Each structure stands twice: as C-alpha cells, then as structure tokens.
Amino acid sequence: MDDKQMDALAKKLVTDPLAKKALKDNDAGSLVRLMSNNPEFTKGLTPEEKDILNALANDAEISEQDISDALANLADTDPDVVMEAASFLTNGVMDGEIAFNQQKRIVRTVLQQKRLYQNIDQPDDNRGAYPRMAAALIAELLLGLDSGTQAIMTAPQRSQFFTWAETYVLKEKNQTALTETSESARTLAWGLLMSAYLHPLYPQDKLNQLSNEVLAFLHNFDTVFMDGETAAIARVFYVLAARKRMSAGDLLSQIKKVTEKLNGERDEQKASTVFRSDAWYRVLSILAYTLQDADHYRQVRKYINAVLTDYYQKDLAFAFKTDFPVQK
C-alpha cells in the first residue's frame, strides 16, 4: 500500500483517530485490534479498500498453531516457559495480533483446561503453582477484553469466570513469585478478582461481598502477610473508588466491617490475630495515601485516618514505651 492509498483510506476513517493513526503508521497490529473490537468501523469502504484492510489484518494475525502451543505451555512447571507463553498471549492480544475469533477460542480453551485449580491442594509445590499463576493472568486479561465494546464471552462463560475469580482468591495458598515479577500466586488472585469487580456486567450487589472476601482470605493464614498481598487488597478498594463502582457509603461500610472484626479478634498472645490485624492496617495505610485527594470519599478518609491515628499513637506507643522512654 503506497502513501496515497493510505491517505485516501485514512480520510474515510477520520471519525476514529486511533484507526487513522494506525493506517498512516502502517501499524497492522493496531489496525486488526480496532477492526476486531469494532467491525462496523469499515462501513462505507469500497471492496478494494476492504481487501487492503483484510490483507493487513491477515498479515498481523498470529497462527492457530502458535496459539495452541502457547496454551499448552501454560501447563509447564518451568517458570520461564510459563512466563513466555503468558507474555506471548498477552502481548498478542494487546498488540492486535490475536483476532477476535482467536480470543473467543482462548476463552473456550481456558475454561476447558481449568488450570486455575491445577494442584491447588498442594500449596507447598512451588513449581506446580506456575500453571495456576499463568491461568490467573490470562483470565484477568480475558475479563478485561470482555469488558470492552465487543464481548468475547457468552453469558455462561462470563458467569464461570466470575465464579472462578471469587473462589480462587480463597483457595490459592502459594506465595511463590512469578518469574520477572514480584507477584505471588496469592497477589495474582486479587488481580483476577478485581477484573471481575470492574466488569460492567458483574452484579453490583455482589460487590458488597468484598469485606467477606478480605476476611476469609486473611483467616486462611496464620503467618505474616507479604507486602504485595496487602498492596493488592488495597488496590481493589482504591480502583473500586476511582472507577466509582462502589459508593462512598458502601466503601466505608466494607472497610468498617473488616476493621471492627479484626480489632475484636486481636489478641497480643495469639500471633496469628496480630498478623491479620497488622496486614489490614497496612492496607488502610495505603488507602490513606491513595485516597487523600478523593473529595467524594472524604468520610472514608476521615475514618481511616482516625483508625490509623489510634493504632499508631496508642497501640504502638503502648507496646514500645518501655523500650523507648521519652526523654525529659
């Protein structure tokens, strides 16, 4: 396609600036992504122009065999192989090289394979956790795609992904970090749950189960929680607020429920209760910072600041006052 043909075709698509840029840059990857997400965008083109677009799209697509190989490699226990397969599929989708029908095929395969729960009853098997971690990454990607202008899932498929997101966060107990990231299986589980919460078709009333998910997750463990896990939980609360998926009143109610439950259970003689409570205070500390400019959530900030002030000034000061006496 020469420059004149590009310009002529771009002029017909001036209503879509991203499409115009893709055509002018001869960016077939971006072009096929736009075509897949919005097939109506080619209306009004001549047969010759459509042929040109189809040729670009065909050149950009990843082969079915490449997708099959990547999906098979997601089950590998070698973290490098798993990470490469997950990155291949993720980048292929984001770069527009995996077409709409291929995305739907990935949805079907992921549901059939059920690797999100592979060996999940063996939390100490670190290598066995990698396929689950890759499945969580791909499931999060697919829910994000399905949230767009053109759904890639049927209603039953979407419902199954929602259920997976709700249950996986409670069943995953492995803390192994995925290659090239600091995310553990448990933090990826929260990322998957957040993608379900943000989906426009996720039931609004079920968002109020967030406090129950947090409490159940924290009660799953009797050891110290990783910073990545508390950051992942905080991010769910923050994004729900930033995207206005949860009202200020509901958000405050959810935070109060967790705080009051864990404070009531805290016993300095029982380490597990302290670990859970301290993990939650780390979540609140992150939210105190990230919500500081969110005027609509000022009541949430006020409550969090009061709880943290009480925790740091009273509880911690009491715990350390004999070790660090005040100098007069």
Side-chain angles (χ1 to χ4, degrees), residues 108-158:
R108 293 193 301 270
T109 303
V110 169
L111 288 172
Q112 291 165 0
Q113 293 174 335
K114 299 180 181 178
R115 289 189 178 132
L116 193 65
Y117 295 101
Q118 183 173 314
N119 298 323
I120 201 165
D121 58 343
Q122 302 173 35
D124 296 328
D125 179 9
N126 291 338
R127 294 182 71 86
Y130 289 117
R132 298 196 301 275
M133 297 158 78
L137 283 169
I138 298 302
E140 180 179 350
L141 171 71
L142 294 174
L143 278 174
L145 288 173
D146 191 62
S147 298
T149 56
Q150 190 173 16
I152 62 171
M153 299 179 188
T154 64
Q157 289 174 335
R158 187 177 303 111

Side-chain angles (χ1 to χ4, degrees), residues 22-37:
L23 287 166
K24 279 189 169 293
D25 294 345
N26 205 7
D27 183 352
S30 294
L31 184 61
V32 72
R33 180 173 65 251
L34 290 165
M35 292 177 67
S36 297
N37 290 337

Side-chain angles (χ1 to χ4, degrees), residues 244-261:
K244 293 184 171 55
R245 281 285 285 158
M246 183 177 284
S247 69
D250 286 342
L251 190 69
L252 179 58
S253 176
Q254 296 296 299
I255 291 174
K256 279 185 175 181
K257 181 177 179 179
V258 178
T259 303
E260 292 169 1
K261 176 69 172 175

Side-chain angles (χ1 to χ4, degrees), residues 23-133:
L23 287 166
K24 279 189 169 293
D25 294 345
N26 205 7
D27 183 352
S30 294
L31 184 61
V32 72
R33 180 173 65 251
L34 290 165
M35 292 177 67
S36 297
N37 290 337
N38 186 11
E40 295 296 316
F41 125 108
T42 56
K43 276 186 176 179
L45 299 182
T46 66
E48 180 183 5
E49 290 166 342
K50 290 181 179 179
D51 288 342
I52 294 171
L53 285 177
N54 289 333
L56 285 172
N58 291 334
D59 288 343
E61 287 183 6
I62 290 175
S63 73
E64 294 293 332
Q65 186 59 53
D66 287 338
I67 293 176
S68 296
D69 292 343
L71 289 169
N73 286 340
L74 291 177
D76 204 291
T77 55
D78 184 328
D80 292 329
V81 173
V82 172
M83 190 62 182
E84 183 178 354
S87 296
F88 174 81
L89 293 172
T90 301
N91 293 335
V93 169
M94 301 308 295
D95 292 341
E97 296 174 344
I98 294 181
F100 176 70
N101 287 334
Q102 292 175 316
Q103 294 171 17
K104 294 173 71 173
R105 177 201 166 189
I106 294 173
V107 169
R108 293 193 301 270
T109 303
V110 169
L111 288 172
Q112 291 165 0
Q113 293 174 335
K114 299 180 181 178
R115 289 189 178 132
L116 193 65
Y117 295 101
Q118 183 173 314
N119 298 323
I120 201 165
D121 58 343
Q122 302 173 35
D124 296 328
D125 179 9
N126 291 338
R127 294 182 71 86
Y130 289 117
R132 298 196 301 275
M133 297 158 78

Side-chain angles (χ1 to χ4, degrees), residues 199-218:
H199 197 292
L201 295 180
Y202 188 82
Q204 186 71 27
D205 60 324
K206 294 184 72 174
L207 290 178
N208 288 328
Q209 293 299 312
L210 175 56
S211 57
N212 293 333
E213 295 273 6
V214 172
L215 287 168
F217 173 81
L218 294 176

